Amino acid sequence: MKLKILLLSAMILLLAGCTQETQNSLSRSLQNWTGTNGVLDIYAGDKLVHKFIKIDKLSTAYGSNDSKMRPYRYGYGYDDLNFNGKQDEGEKKVYFEFSDYSTSYVFYERN
C-alpha cells in the first residue's frame, strides 16, 4: 500500500514539475496511442464544403531533410459526402491534406 502511494506521489510531482508544453506533448502521445473520434469541417467563407469523420489524429507535416514544420496538416478519415456525421455506404476512408494558411477549418472530437 505504501509503495502505491509513493509511486502515485512521485508521478504527480513529476507531472507537476513539467512545463505546460511537456504536459501537452504527453497528452498528445497518449491520444495518438488511444486515438480520438475526430471530425474535420472545412469551410469556404461561411459555407461547409467538406467533412471528414472518424479521424484518429491530425498530423503536422515535417520536412524530410531539414525537419522543419511545413504549412499543412494531414490525416486519414472517412469522407462524409452528405454531411450527416455518420459513415454511410460508399463513404470510404481517405487521406487528406489542408493548408494552415488558407483553409478555414474546425477540428473537434465527437463522443
Side-chain angles (χ1 to χ4, degrees):
M1 180 69 175
K2 289 183 181 182
L3 181 61
K4 287 182 182 179
I5 293 173
L6 182 63
L7 286 174
L8 182 61
S9 299
M11 286 179 57
I12 290 171
L13 286 174
L14 180 67
L15 285 175
C18 293
T19 64
Q20 185 67 41
E21 181 57 33
T22 303
Q23 290 175 13
N24 290 343
S25 179
L26 289 170
S27 174
R28 282 190 301 271
S29 295
L30 180 62
Q31 238 180 10
N32 288 345
W33 187 52
T34 60
T36 61
N37 186 14
V39 177
L40 176 66
D41 293 334
I42 298 179
Y43 294 89
D46 61 348
K47 181 178 165 115
L48 177 64
V49 294
H50 217 103
K51 181 185 277 271
F52 297 98
I53 58 174
K54 296 185 178 181
I55 301 168
D56 284 337
K57 67 176 181 172
L58 290 181
S59 298
T60 303
Y62 285 89
S64 329
N65 296 327
D66 60 8
S67 297
K68 291 184 181 177
M69 284 178 38
R70 300 296 190 232
Y72 67 93
R73 296 187 187 275
Y74 64 93
Y76 291 89
Y78 287 88
D79 193 358
D80 188 10
L81 299 171
N82 57 5
F83 305 128
N84 69 351
K86 295 185 253 179
Q87 181 190 352
D88 298 314
E89 190 174 328
E91 294 178 341
K92 303 204 183 294
K93 192 168 193 173
V94 296
Y95 170 83
F96 58 85
E97 295 178 356
F98 59 95
S99 170
D100 280 353
Y101 296 134
S102 62
T103 306
S104 296
Y105 68 92
V106 178
F107 178 72
Y108 55 97
E109 183 177 1
R110 166 112 353 120
N111 294 331

